[in-house]
Amino acid sequence: MLIDKKRVKRNKALDKFFRGFFMAMAILSSSFIVIIVLFVCAKGISPFLPGYEYGQVDLISFLTGSIYRQDQGIYGVGFIIINTLISAFLALVISFPLSVLTALFIAKIAPKKLSAAMQSVVELLAAVPSVVYGVFASGVITGVVEWIASLFGITTFGGSSLLAVVLLLAIMIFPTLTSMSITAIRAVDPNLEQASLALGATKTQTNFKICLTAAKSGIFAGAILGLGRAYGEATAVAMVAGNKLFGPTFNPFDITRTLTSTMLAGLKETTGLDYDIRFSVGLVLIVVIFFSNWILNMVKKRIGRNSVA
Amino acid sequence: METCFDVKNIDLFYGDKQALKDVNMEIYKNRVTAFIGPSGCGKSTFIRCLNRMNDLIEGCKVSGEIIKDGLDIYSPKQDIVDLRTRVGMVFQKPNPFPMSIYDNIAYGPRCQGLKDKKKLDEIVTTSLKQVALYDEVADRLGDSAIGLSGGQQQRLCIARCIAMSPEVILMDEPTSALDPISTSKIEDLCLELKKDYTIVIVTHNMQQAARISDYTAFFLLGEVVEMDETDTIFSHPKDKRTENYITGRFG
Ligand SMILES: Nc1ncnc2c1ncn2[C@@H]1O[C@H](COP(=O)(O)OP(=O)(O)OP(=O)(O)O)[C@@H](O)[C@H]1O
Ligand SMILES: [Mg+2]
């Protein structure tokens, strides 16, 4: 007999056990997330509640304020939100075309060996810790920014500036964008490329009109991920932002302040309101990321309607 | 009768495995030529020689000549883009691009640099009418082609090919993924199209070959065993192996 009844029974039991095991793991990990969010929320909301031990903060002036001076107890993050949006978005604008073209080159154009080598480099870049990027930024990018500024006859604060943050973030999100794009482009049905070539399209036309179009949904997913990283990057950004006290900053050579750099600056040496308010800033960051993802996902749905990958 | 392709001594290797052995044939203009034969005998390999799609396969080597309009299409003088605009291809699996119906059909002409909206409109309309798809999709040309049924998609792919006004249409088992109704629509279409085009079709369906083709070539193990007018092949095959195959006694 092919079917061994005992075996079937044992398989069923095993199946049940694993289902329970995975369920427990899922509950455990998701409860961690819930606990973290609840903790951040509780801490972040507390300064705005009446009876807060270090003196209640006004929520509206916190959210819309354009000055952030912990030394004077003035906490306004409105301009910081704008700064964060600007720096992340500009980083994406710079990085996106570069990484998509790089991905196209790696996935479709480069000879096999070069393609494999370049892809390992991209993966390596993704694995570099952000503090290393930060050191690089404060050592090299700031120098470059200072030099560019001097061409315009502008002096900077040692190169720390919005531009430095943008360049740093552009470099940091490049590996994410590129490897997501590579995956998306590789997933495009080769039959589509064949059909395009059979219609007398050149290789280049096929790459741009078919591969990129069909992969756009995956490429866009990479952009969302990259933007998320750009919003959330703290260590490296804090090293070149300069933490301006008011704003928003639109001048690329002026220093700036992002939500993350605000949370990080002097975190270890502070207590009381100045400590708790960082959780509020963190909450704002979460909400900003949430909203921007929500909008981008709607855009993605629109442009992705005709996409396969 | 004018010759469209004059195939001389084609040998083809994938790596060091020989897939075509000394293939010789003439394919005539404005006729339907069918390739039949058991799986793996090299029909697809051969039809892909006619628009040089084999160039895309790594390790594929072709020797011999395929003369079209006095020029060997494998000679370095042959411009490959030009060849493929004149020799179109429809694949086994419908493969519409993930774009609108309109853009699918306009794709080929646009790649050749045609931008004139009026001309494109006209090409899209006439191509869709030729494959009898126009009435079904006229009110949703802007919709994604992915939403069409399999049979509609395949007719769209034929329309996309026709939009280039090629001289030849190569079809590799174009109906194998379709239901009988869509299949008969595409068969009728072939008969209709041969007025303007030369058609080469690979099929596993004997009745289909008999119904629509003027000439039939029987492939076996990379060789052309026999090629003749379809009536002759099906009523008086010269080779025993052909007879065995078409009567289903192959083995
Ligand atoms: N890309 C390839 N690389 C290596 N060998 C190949 C390749 N394509 C086809 N072959 C081999 O060449 C031979 C002919 O294949 P081909 O696809 O032309 O057969 P076919 O007659 O079209 O078969 P079917 O009716 O199943 O489509 C087969 O033995 C096949 O394994
Ligand atoms: Mg085949």
Side-chain angles (χ1 to χ4, degrees), chain B residues 153-197:
Chain B
Q153 286 187 1
Q154 193 64 305
R155 275 181 286 151
L156 177 76
C157 291
I158 297 174
R160 185 172 71 184
C161 182
I162 289 173
M164 295 297 293
S165 13
E167 298 159 30
V168 187
I169 302 176
L170 309 175
M171 302 189 187
D172 191 351
E173 301 186 47
T175 61
S176 68
L178 305 180
D179 68 282
I181 293 174
S182 307
T183 299
S184 80
K185 272 190 186 161
I186 286 180
E187 287 179 5
D188 292 345
L189 182 60
C190 286
L191 292 173
E192 181 67 31
L193 291 175
K194 78 173 182 181
K195 286 191 217 118
D196 305 312
Y197 307 92

Side-chain angles (χ1 to χ4, degrees), chain B residues 14 17 19 37-46 57 92 173 204:
Chain B
Y14 290 119
K17 183 169 163 285
S39 196
C41 65
K43 307 177 296 292
S44 299
T45 301
F46 181 65
I57 297 170
Q92 176 170 2
E173 301 186 47
H204 273 284

Side-chain angles (χ1 to χ4, degrees), chain A residues 73-111:
Chain A
I74 304 173
Y75 298 102
V77 294
F79 77 103
I80 310 180
I81 295 173
I82 295 171
N83 285 350
T84 303
L85 290 172
I86 290 176
S87 57
F89 184 73
L90 287 182
L92 186 66
V93 167
I94 293 176
S95 206
F96 187 77
L98 290 177
S99 43
V100 170
L101 292 180
T102 308
L104 191 63
F105 181 74
I106 291 176
K108 288 290 163 204
I109 300 166

Side-chain angles (χ1 to χ4, degrees), chain B residues 29-40:
Chain B
K29 278 194 178 149
N30 292 75
R31 293 291 180 278
V32 179
T33 303
F35 296 162
I36 59 170
S39 196

Side-chain angles (χ1 to χ4, degrees), chain A residues 237-255:
Chain A
V237 168
M239 292 164 89
V240 294
N243 271 353
K244 197 166 171 153
L245 301 174
F246 54 92
T249 303
F250 296 115
N251 177 356
F253 298 113
D254 195 3
I255 52 172

